[in-house]
Amino acid sequence: MSLTSLSIAELQAQFRSGAASPVEAIDALEARIAALDGRIHGYLSRDFATARALAEKADISLPLGGVPIAIKDVINVKGEPCTAASKILLGYTSTYDATVISKLRAAGAIPFGRCNLDEFAMGSSTENSAFGRTMNPWDFSRVPGGSSGGSAAVVAADEAFAALGSDTGGSIRQPAALCGCVGLKPTYGRVSRFGLIAFASSLDQIGPFTKTVRDAGLLTNVIAGRDTMDSTSLDVPVEDATALLGQDLKGVKLGMPREYFISGIDPQVDAAVRAACKHYESLGAEIVEVSLPHTEHAVSVYYVIATAEASANLARFDGVRYGHRAQTENLLEMYARSRAEGFGPEVKRRIILGTYVLSSGYYDAYYLRAQKVRTLIRQDFTKAFEQVDAIICPTSPEPAFKAGDRSDDPMKMYLADIFTIACNLAGTCGVSLPCGFATTDGVRLPIGVQLIGQPWKEARLLQIAHAYEQSTGWHKERPAL
Ligand code: GLN
C-alpha cells in the first residue's frame, strides 16, 4: 500500500512507529501529483520546497505534526499565490496567513498546495475556474462537483491526505459526494473565516475534505474556535469532534425529510440513500419522517442572498489593491475595465444580480423578502431538531455529471445544490460521506449521503456518520488510476 493512500490517522501511526517520516510523506505526494495531476488538474500551484523544509523539522508529537494538507485556493497562505481561480487575482501573493492556516501550522500541519475551484467559489462543477476544469478521478469526462472540486478530487485521487475547502451553499459536501470522500461543513461561526476570500459572508464556512470521518474530526478540532479577527466566529466551547466516535446508535433518531425524497432524483441515488437509512435502523437508530416545509424556496432565497453579499464583497477587486489592473490613463475606466477583463461570466452574472436585488425599489421585494423566508427555513430545522438528532438525505440529486452538460445553463447548474443549500441558510453543520455507487454508461460513480446535524453538535454528527462508515466500508473504495 502506498503512503499517499493513507488517512491522516494512519499516516500519523506510521510517523509514530518510525515506518515513515514527514519528509517521505511529502516525497510520496510530490511523486503522485507529478504522475497524476496532469490528468486531474486538482492543483493550481504547489510548493514542495517550502513543504519539505517544514517536514524536516516537523514535530510529530503535535496534533497534526508533519501532516501535509492541501488548501482551496481561496484561503490565504502567506507568501503563496491565492487566485480564487480568477484572472483578477493572477499575480497576487498573500501577505498573511488565514486563521485556519495559523492554526494548522500551530498544530504541526504542513500546507503545501493550492486546489482548483470555481472562480470565487461560484459554481457546482469547477468548470468556472479561469484556469481550466478539474477532472473527476472516477471518470475524467465528468466534473468533480464544486466549488471546491479540486480539494475533493485530490483527496479522492490520493494526491492529498486531506484538504480544506469552503462551503457557502454546498461547496464542500457536493464535491465530496461526487468524488467519494468525506466533506464536513461545520456550524456557521465554528471556524474563523479571517483570510478566506469572502463570497457570501452570512453563509461561508471553512471545513475539511478527508478520507475518513475520524480525520474530519481531527482537522475540525484544529481549525475550530473563536477568533477575534472574525466577529462571526462564536465563543462556543470547542468540543472534541472525535469524542463520541465508536459509541453505538441506540436512542439516536434520524429524520428523513419528505421534501428531500422527491421525483427527479436519480433512482440509483434515491435507492442508495434509502438503503443507508435501512442500514441505520440495523445499527439501532430510529428513522422517522420529518418535514422541512419551506425547502422549495431554499434555492431562490440562496441566489438572492448569496449574490447580494457577493456583489458587496467583490467590490474590493477594482484594479487598485489586488491583482489585475487594466492599462489606461482614466481612473473610472481603469476600475471598469479591470473588472470587465478580470472577472469571468458567472462572477459577473452574480455581481449584476446581487446589485439588482439590493438596489432601491427592489430591495424590499427581493433581498428583504429573501431574509424573511430564510428565517422560515431556519425555523423548519429548529422544529425538526426537536424531534431528531440529525437529518438524513441525499447530498446531490445525481452522481457526477459530464463536463459541459450544464455549463451553458446556469439554472440547471444551480439545482446541483438543491439538497445542500438549506443547511447554510439555517447555519447548521452537515457532512457528506460515501454510501455506494451508481453505474452510469458502464462507469462506477460514487454516491454521497448527507447528514445534517444540530448547531454546534459536530461531535454527535460525526458519531452518527462514523457508525455508518465503519460498518459499511464504502470509504475504502478508490478510483482505478
Ligand atoms: N454551488 C453553489 C453556488 O454556486 C454553492 C457554492 C459554494 O458553496 N461556494 O453558489
Side-chain angles (χ1 to χ4, degrees), residues 72 121-124 146-147 166-171 199 302-303 350 417:
K72 186 179 185 180
M122 298 175 184
S124 306
S147 67
S166 64
D167 190 313
T168 306
S171 278
F199 162 13
Y302 171 84
Y303 278 96
R350 301 218 186 177
D417 297 303

Side-chain angles (χ1 to χ4, degrees), residues 134-477:
T134 294
M135 304 341 123
N136 188 306
W138 294 87
D139 176 356
F140 292 169
S141 73
R142 290 172 192 272
V143 303
S147 67
S148 315
S151 300
V154 299
V155 172
D158 291 334
E159 291 184 84
F161 298 99
L164 288 189
S166 64
D167 190 313
T168 306
S171 278
I172 292 176
R173 291 157 289 151
Q174 184 257 14
L178 270 46
C179 289
C181 48
V182 176
L184 170 70
K185 183 198 93 71
T187 307
Y188 184 79
R190 179 60 99 189
V191 178
S192 166
R193 285 103 37 87
F194 177 68
L196 167 72
I197 297 178
F199 162 13
S201 307
S202 75
L203 300 159
D204 297 339
Q205 190 63 192
I206 296 172
F209 284 90
T210 54
K211 296 175 191 181
T212 65
V213 170
R214 177 175 296 279
D215 283 3
L218 293 175
L219 261 177
T220 303
N221 283 349
V222 166
I223 62 175
R226 162 83 179 145
D227 173 18
T228 52
M229 299 302 280
D230 175 1
S231 60
T232 67
S233 71
L234 288 187
D235 201 3
V236 173
V238 179
E239 49 173 10
D240 173 1
T242 65
L244 306 178
L245 299 188
Q247 289 190 12
D248 70 38
L249 298 187
K250 295 215 175 61
V252 167
K253 259 190 177 177
L254 299 179
M256 282 172 85
R258 72 173 76 94
E259 295 81 4
Y260 282 57
F261 290 85
I262 45 175
S263 64
I265 329 186
D266 179 283
Q268 298 186 78
V269 170
D270 186 76
V273 175
R274 286 181 193 277
C277 294
K278 281 262 166 305
H279 186 82
Y280 268 112
E281 281 179 333
S282 77
L283 294 177
E286 188 186 341
I287 304 275
V288 298
E289 191 182 76
V290 293
S291 176
L292 299 167
H294 297 92
T295 295
E296 62 171 313
H297 304 298
V299 172
S300 322
V301 165
Y302 171 84
Y303 278 96
V304 172
I305 293 175
T307 57
E309 294 181 11
S311 73
N313 276 325
L314 270 58
R316 75 195 69 191
F317 301 102
D318 56 5
V320 177
R321 281 167 292 186
Y322 320 92
H324 176 72
R325 176 179 299 174
Q327 293 311 311
T328 159
E329 296 293 299
N330 178 304
L331 179 66
L332 287 181
E333 194 182 308
M334 190 280 286
Y335 291 145
R337 277 196 22 218
S338 297
R339 289 167 70 81
E341 291 165 7
F343 289 136
E346 181 62 24
V347 175
K348 286 178 185 161
R349 186 177 296 126
R350 301 218 186 177
I351 292 173
I352 292 168
L353 184 59
T355 307
Y356 176 79
V357 300
L358 287 177
S359 58
S360 90
Y362 296 100
Y363 181 93
D364 289 0
Y366 294 112
Y367 185 71
L368 201 62
R369 180 162 304 181
Q371 292 291 14
K372 290 179 180 166
V373 181
R374 180 180 187 171
T375 302
L376 297 174
I377 291 171
R378 183 179 294 141
Q379 286 168 352
D380 285 353
F381 280 88
T382 309
K383 280 190 201 122
F385 287 139
E386 284 165 10
Q387 276 174 271
V388 296
D389 298 284
I391 284 159
I392 182 165
C393 60
T395 308
S396 158
E398 59 186 345
F401 47 92
K402 288 261 190 196
D405 256 13
R406 304 274 163 98
S407 34
D408 45 14
D409 187 345
M411 286 308 289
K412 249 173 120 184
M413 189 71 88
Y414 296 171
L415 291 177
D417 297 303
I418 189 161
F419 297 141
T420 48
I421 273 175
C423 170
N424 300 73
L425 292 168
T428 194
C429 52
V431 65
S432 179
L433 64 155
C435 74
F437 287 84
T439 306
T440 310
D441 305 333
V443 218
R444 279 177 98 222
L445 299 170
I447 299 173
V449 58
Q450 178 177 217
L451 297 164
I452 303 177
Q454 300 183 359
W456 310 107
K457 299 275 175 68
E458 281 84 358
R460 169 72 73 203
L461 182 68
L462 294 185
Q463 173 206 352
I464 297 167
H466 183 256
Y468 177 84
E469 175 193 79
Q470 292 301 306
S471 55
T472 57
W474 294 115
H475 66 295
K476 291 186 193 138
E477 309 249 356

